[in-house]
Amino acid sequence: MRKVNQYYIWVISLLVLSCGSPKNEKEVVSAMPVYKDVPYIQNYSIKYNAQDMELSEVHMDRNGVIQVLSSKGVLRTHDGQFLYPGILMKDKTYRPITDKNISGFTLYQNQFVYLDDKAVLSNAWAGSLYLSHDLPEAKILAAGDDFDFLISDGKALQFLSKDKAPWKEEIDDQVLEIKYNSAKKTFWILGTQSISSFDATTNTLKTTQQEQNLTSFALIDDKLIVGTSDGYFEIDSRTSKKIGETQKKLPANEITSIAAIDGQLWFGSSEGAFKMRDDGKFDYYYGKRWLPGNVVKHISQGTNGSVLVLTDAGLGQIVFEEMTLFDKAQYYESQVRNRHIRLGFNANLVDLDHGNIDSGRLSDSDNDGLWTTMYLAAEVFRYSVTKSAVALQNCREAMDAMERLFSINPVPGFPSRSFERSGYIEKLHDPDRWQHSNDPEWDWKSTTSSDEAIGHIFAYGVMAELMDNDLKDRAITLIDTLMSHVVRNDLYMVDFDGKPTTWGKWNPEYVNARPKMVGDRKINSSNIIGMLQTAYHFTGKEKYKEKAFDLMDNHGYLENLMWPMKDVAPAPDDADDWSKMLSESWNHSDDEMYFVGYWGLYRYAFNDTLKTKFKESILDHWEIERPEKEGAWNIMTALTGTSEFDLGEAVWYLKEHPLDMVSWDIKNSHRKDLEFIAPNFREQTTKEVLPPDERRVQRHNGNMFQLDKIGNDGGEEFSAGDIWLLPYWMGRYLGVISEPQPLK
C-alpha cells in the first residue's frame, strides 16, 4: 500500500550498462532512469493478543504507555515486537485506579483521563483532576478545553468543568460517541440516528436527525465523517447538512470506528481497517499480518507516530518507520540467514504455530534448486556491487549445495531437485520422488524439471560473468555439466530410470507437438536457446552453438520464441489432451522461467541480429506483464538497455512488500473499492493489481491478481532471498537503483 511521506526522486543519467555484450565488446550507453534510494516510510505491525474479554477503547499517553479498556478493567501491553506478538494484561501499575470501576477513558494533553461511576479523574497533574458526576452508568467521555469534559451513559449528557457551571440533559437517542472540535469550541455527539452539537459556552444543544444506522464518526477540517452499517457520508459542520452521497465503494462497508489522524481518515470495520490515501483510494489492513482480529473496535493515534487499531482479539499497533531500500535489504538478508538456510538451500519455514517463527521447521521443496539459484544470483549481484565478504561467503555456501545436487545422485550431469538426510522421507513432501543415494546417510529428490534447469543456468551465468575467483570456474563447470547432459540426451533431462522427466523436455519432437499458441512451445524454445548460448559463451564448445542454430534454423525455435505474447492462448478443440491441459490458463511459472532465462537469451546472444530479435521478444513479453507491476520482471527488462521498463513500479513493488513474510490469510474479493474485470485467460481479476502487503506472500511464479488466500493461516514464512533480494540487488547491479542516499 502507498505509505505516507514517500519520497520518489528520479534522475536521468548516462550509465554504462553491461547489457549482454562479451567483456571485450564496447558497452552500450543508454539514457536510463535511476531511482535515488532516499528514506521512505515503511510500515509493519506489532500485535498484542487478548482472550476471553471484550475490548472497547485504546489510547497511548505522552510517555508511550498504551492502555486498553476492557470488560476486565484497564489493560496494558506486555512484551510485543515485530513478528513476536505480546499480550494485553491487567494494568496493576497504580492500585487505586485498579480498584475503581473504570468505564471509559480518553486523552487530555496526552495524559490519561478516566471515567468511573462517580467522577472524571486522572493520575496526571498530581492527581488534582477529580470532577464528580451523577451518571453512575456513564461510559462515554470526551475532553474539551480548560479541563472541560462531556460524558454520557448512553441516554443523558452531562457537562463537567473545573470553573464552569455543570449542565445535564437527556437525549432522545442512544449516544455512541462524543468528539470535541477545539476550533469551534463545540462537542459533537453521535447517536444511532442523530448528530448533535453542544456549545459549552452557551449550554446549547442542537440535534439533527438522520435516517441511517449510524455507528461512528470523526472530525476533519469543517466536516463530520459519519460511519454507518453500510458506508459513510460527510456533513458540513457549519450547516449540519449532508455533503454528497453515502460512500459505499470501500474495502468493507460496515463501519465500526473512524479516526482522523494527521489529516488522514482511518476506518475500522467488521473486516479489518483501512486508511484513505491522498488519491482517494485505500490502504487496507486485513488479517493477522496487521491485526489480531478483523472486527475493529477502536482506532486512535499513538504519540510516537504509530496508529493503534483495537480489535475483538487484541491490538494491532501499525508502526511507520523511515528506511531506505538498502535498509530493507539488510533486514531481509538477516531474515534469510537467520531462518531460511537448509543445507545451503534457500528454504521456507513451515509448520509454524500461528505465525510463531521460532516454532517452524525448514522444509524441502520441489524447487530447492530454483529458489536457491535465484538467491545465489542475488548474492552474486550484491558481491559485484559491494564486494561484501559476507555476500561472498553466502555464495560459497549456496554453491556447495548446488554442486552437491549433481554429485549426490548416480546420473551424470543430472541435478537433483533436493537432498536430505535419510530416514526422513516419510515426513517430507512428495515421498515417491525420493531416492536413496550411495551414501546410506542421504537421499535425493528426482524428477527435476525445466524450471530448475533454467534457474541453474541463470545463476551460473551470472556467477561466471561477475565473479573473479574460484567460483567463476566452478560455475562454468556446472554450466557445462548440465548442458552436456541435456545435449547428450537429445535435449531431454533424463532421470535415474533412464526416462525423461515430465518437464525437462526441449526436443523438437516434444516442443513442436504443441500448437503455436500454447505457451510451452514458446517457453521451451526461449529457454533452451538461452541455455545453449550461455554454455557456448562460457565454455566455447561448438556443440552448444551448433545445436542452438540447428534448433533455430531447422526446427523453428526462433519463430517459436518470437511468437507474440498476446497470441498465447488455449489450445484449439482438435489439439491433444496434453496441450489442452498446458493451456487451460496463463502460466505464471512460465513467466518466471522466461524472465530468468532472458539473462542468457539476451546477454549472451550469438550475434547482434539475434540480440535485436531477442530484445523485441523480451519487450513484447514485458508489455503484457506490465499490469502485474512485478519488481523482478521490470528490473530484468532493464538489462536490454531500454529506457522504459517501469522502474517506478519496480520500486513500488520493493517498497510495498511487507516485512512480515508469514503466510497469513488474506481476503480481498469482498471489497467494493476494487474495479473487477470479466474472467479472462490471464486470470486477472481487477483492473489494478493490489500492493504486495495487501495480498498473499508469494514468489514470482504466482498470480499477482489472486485476491484471497485462506488456509494455513500463519503456518509458513517465506524467504526473501528469491522474492525480494533478487530484484533489489539486480537493480543495484544494473545501476537503476542507487546506493542509499541521505535526504537533503
Side-chain angles (χ1 to χ4, degrees):
M1 54 190 64
R2 300 189 186 277
K3 322 298 183 202
V4 295
N5 298 326
Q6 287 186 340
Y7 301 96
Y8 284 93
I9 298 180
W10 299 88
V11 295
I12 299 296
S13 61
L14 291 178
L15 296 178
V16 178
L17 297 181
S18 50
C19 292
S21 304
K23 293 182 178 180
N24 59 358
E25 183 180 321
K26 278 191 175 183
E27 303 291 0
V28 179
V29 179
S30 302
M32 298 287 287
V34 180
Y35 171 71
K36 188 175 182 182
D37 188 18
V38 295
Y40 71 99
I41 300 299
Q42 175 72 50
N43 61 359
Y44 57 89
S45 178
I46 300 174
K47 290 161 284 189
Y48 302 89
N49 297 319
Q51 293 181 339
D52 302 324
M53 65 184 77
E54 293 291 326
L55 307 174
S56 57
E57 197 165 358
V58 61
H59 295 288
M60 178 191 290
D61 75 358
R62 63 181 298 271
N63 302 310
V65 176
I66 298 174
Q67 288 189 338
V68 172
L69 186 62
S70 78
S71 58
K72 295 185 178 181
V74 177
L75 312 176
R76 68 177 296 147
T77 56
H78 169 69
D79 205 359
Q81 54 184 302
F82 177 56
L83 293 181
Y84 291 89
I87 61 171
L88 297 176
M89 60 182 296
K90 191 172 182 63
D91 191 339
K92 300 179 181 179
T93 307
Y94 189 62
R95 181 62 180 272
I97 291 294
T98 304
D99 291 341
K100 290 184 178 295
N101 182 27
I102 304 298
S103 55
F105 82 128
T106 190
L107 289 180
Y108 179 63
Q109 297 179 0
N110 283 331
Q111 303 277 14
F112 291 131
V113 176
Y114 305 101
L115 173 67
D116 71 0
D117 53 355
K118 295 180 176 64
V120 172
L121 66 153
S122 178
N123 293 328
W125 310 287
S128 61
L129 174 61
Y130 190 91
L131 299 173
S132 298
H133 65 77
D134 54 10
L135 295 177
E137 301 297 323
K139 56 187 177 181
I140 302 168
L141 168 67
D145 295 327
D146 303 323
F147 293 92
D148 296 343
F149 300 91
L150 187 63
I151 67 172
S152 177
D153 61 0
K155 291 297 183 183
L157 297 168
Q158 185 169 6
F159 174 71
L160 304 172
S161 176
K162 275 190 171 184
D163 54 12
K164 298 184 182 72
W167 172 90
K168 182 180 177 182
E169 187 170 321
E170 293 283 330
I171 187 168
D172 188 22
D173 198 357
Q174 180 184 346
V175 176
L176 300 176
E177 294 181 3
I178 304 174
K179 300 285 176 71
Y180 182 69
N181 186 336
S182 58
K184 304 296 184 181
K185 308 296 182 184
T186 301
F187 288 95
W188 288 91
I189 303 99
L190 181 75
T192 58
Q193 291 185 319
S194 68
I195 299 173
S196 305
S197 62
F198 173 70
D199 186 338
T201 62
T202 62
N203 287 353
T204 302
L205 180 68
K206 296 180 180 180
T207 300
T208 302
Q209 294 297 320
Q210 303 293 326
E211 296 180 358
Q212 301 186 62
N213 184 21
L214 310 184
T215 58
S216 184
F217 77 141
L219 308 173
I220 186 168
D221 300 325
D222 289 319
K223 294 185 291 187
L224 302 181
I225 311 300
V226 184
T228 77
S229 57
D230 188 18
Y232 77 91
F233 61 90
E234 299 178 359
I235 287 181
D236 188 325
S237 63
R238 296 164 298 183
T239 64
S240 296
K241 292 184 178 180
K242 184 177 178 181
I243 304 172
E245 299 298 320
T246 299
Q247 301 299 314
K248 296 185 179 183
K249 292 185 177 181
L250 309 176
N253 281 10
E254 186 180 358
I255 306 301
T256 59
S257 179
I258 307 178
I261 298 176
D262 291 331
Q264 294 181 308
L265 287 172
W266 284 77
F267 297 84
S269 77
S270 57
E271 294 186 281
F274 48 96
K275 175 176 68 70
M276 180 180 286
R277 302 199 307 244
D278 292 340
D279 61 3
K281 297 180 181 179
F282 298 94
D283 291 339
Y284 189 34
Y285 298 86
Y286 176 96
K288 292 178 182 177
R289 177 181 294 164
W290 302 107
L291 308 172
N294 283 318
V295 179
V296 176
K297 299 293 187 176
H298 184 231
I299 299 176
S300 65
Q301 182 173 12
T303 53
N304 62 354
S306 65
V307 173
L308 309 177
V309 183
L310 187 66
T311 76
D312 58 334
L315 171 67
Q317 182 181 10
I318 312 299
V319 178
F320 298 88
E321 184 174 309
E322 193 175 81
M323 63 172 56
T324 62
L325 291 180
F326 177 76
D327 294 331
K328 195 169 185 176
Q330 296 303 102
Y331 165 76
Y332 280 142
E333 293 283 358
S334 296
Q335 186 246 23
V336 175
R337 303 311 302 182
N338 288 342
R339 300 193 293 277
H340 292 281
I341 300 300
R342 183 186 73 85
L343 302 173
F345 293 120
N346 173 43
N348 277 10
L349 201 61
V350 302
D351 294 344
L352 272 62
D353 181 13
H354 296 94
N356 181 348
I357 58 174
D358 294 326
S359 67
R361 67 172 176 87
L362 289 165
S363 174
D364 72 282
S365 163
D366 268 5
N367 300 114
D368 276 344
L370 176 60
W371 310 143
T372 304
T373 55
M374 296 174 81
Y375 170 60
L376 174 57
E379 292 303 287
V380 174
F381 289 132
R382 178 187 175 194
Y383 175 73
S384 178
V385 170
T386 66
K387 300 303 178 185
S388 163
V390 173
L392 181 59
Q393 181 61 23
N394 294 344
C395 291
R396 292 189 184 283
E397 293 180 14
M399 196 61 171
D400 288 343
M402 300 309 296
E403 288 173 328
R404 198 173 184 207
L405 287 174
F406 289 85
S407 64
I408 200 168
N409 71 68
V411 185
F414 183 83
S416 311
R417 284 185 181 272
S418 187
F419 55 80
E420 184 54 274
R421 286 181 167 85
S422 61
Y424 293 90
I425 293 178
E426 69 280 1
K427 300 178 182 178
L428 301 173
H429 300 301
D430 305 317
D432 56 317
R433 295 185 178 182
W434 287 88
Q435 308 297 324
H436 297 301
S437 75
N438 292 331
D439 184 340
E441 292 296 321
W442 292 93
D443 299 314
W444 64 279
K445 201 170 191 179
S446 62
T447 70
T448 307
S449 76
S450 54
D451 45 358
E452 274 78 61
I454 192 61
H456 280 269
I457 298 302
F458 164 59
Y460 304 151
V462 171
M463 180 175 282
E465 179 179 348
L466 302 183
M467 284 295 187
D468 54 2
N469 47 47
D470 62 295
L471 288 175
K472 178 185 183 72
D473 293 335
R474 291 168 66 181
I476 294 173
T477 296
L478 289 188
I479 292 172
D480 194 27
T481 298
L482 174 56
M483 294 310 297
S484 287
H485 172 94
V486 171
V487 171
R488 182 173 61 250
N489 287 287
D490 200 19
L491 300 183
Y492 290 107
M493 199 147 55
V494 176
D495 214 334
F496 71 97
D497 57 3
K499 300 177 182 179
T501 65
T502 301
W503 302 109
K505 300 174 180 177
W506 302 275
N507 184 282
E509 183 177 341
Y510 172 83
V511 172
N512 289 336
R514 313 278 78 79
K516 288 186 176 182
M517 76 288 294
V518 175
D520 273 49
R521 180 164 177 159
K522 177 179 172 70
I523 180 61
N524 285 22
S525 298
S526 178
N527 275 185
I528 193 60
I529 298 302
M531 293 161 69
L532 291 167
Q533 285 185 156
T534 303
Y536 175 74
H537 182 83
F538 290 107
T539 69
K541 294 184 177 181
E542 290 295 326
K543 64 179 180 179
Y544 300 124
K545 186 176 183 179
E546 290 171 0
K547 180 58 67 175
F549 275 103
D550 174 54
L551 293 174
M552 288 188 287
D553 294 342
N554 301 319
H555 298 282
Y557 275 39
L558 181 58
E559 180 185 356
N560 289 346
L561 71 86
M562 293 298 295
W563 183 265
M565 274 292 176
K566 66 179 178 60
D567 294 333
V568 172
D573 292 339
D574 60 352
D576 62 286
D577 290 342
W578 187 255
S579 294
K580 290 179 181 179
M581 181 276 295
L582 290 173
S583 60
E584 289 176 349
S585 63
W586 193 269
N587 192 320
H588 297 278
S589 287
D590 282 1
D591 290 329
E592 182 172 64
M593 294 169 62
Y594 277 116
F595 278 95
V596 167
Y598 287 156
W599 188 269
L601 184 70
Y602 179 81
R603 206 166 179 88
Y604 312 129
F606 290 125
N607 55 55
D608 289 342
T609 300
L610 285 174
K611 177 173 282 191
T612 299
K613 287 183 175 295
F614 296 155
K615 179 176 180 177
E616 178 186 341
S617 178
I618 294 169
L619 294 182
D620 172 70
H621 189 182
W622 167 76
E623 188 67 40
I624 206 167
E625 291 294 318
R626 293 180 76 178
E628 293 190 6
K629 302 184 180 180
E630 223 291 351
W633 307 162
N634 286 329
I635 295 294
M636 184 70 81
T637 301
L639 74 89
T640 65
T642 179
S643 60
E644 177 53 67
F645 54 91
D646 286 349
L647 176 59
E649 306 298 6
V651 171
W652 173 85
Y653 171 93
L654 294 172
K655 287 184 176 182
E656 301 293 317
H657 217 283
L659 291 177
D660 182 345
M661 300 188 74
V662 175
S663 61
W664 301 113
D665 280 0
I666 298 297
K667 184 181 176 185
N668 289 288
S669 58
H670 64 284
R671 295 173 60 169
K672 301 295 191 297
D673 62 319
L674 304 181
E675 186 175 347
F676 293 87
I677 62 176
N680 54 82
F681 179 62
R682 285 188 58 85
E683 297 182 327
Q684 181 175 338
T685 54
T686 54
K687 184 177 180 180
E688 293 185 7
V689 70
L690 290 171
D693 61 359
E694 294 183 19
R695 59 184 190 237
R696 63 173 183 157
V697 178
Q698 62 189 65
R699 290 190 159 97
H700 303 294
N701 63 339
N703 179 6
M704 301 301 167
F705 284 93
Q706 181 174 333
L707 297 176
D708 300 341
K709 198 286 296 182
I710 305 297
N712 194 31
D713 194 16
E716 183 174 9
E717 185 189 47
F718 285 74
S719 169
D722 50 296
I723 294 174
W724 198 93
L725 292 175
L726 176 60
Y728 171 75
W729 286 115
M730 189 191 308
R732 287 289 305 275
Y733 170 72
L734 292 175
V736 296
I737 299 175
S738 80
E739 63 184 7
Q741 304 287 316
L743 279 176
K744 294 182 180 179

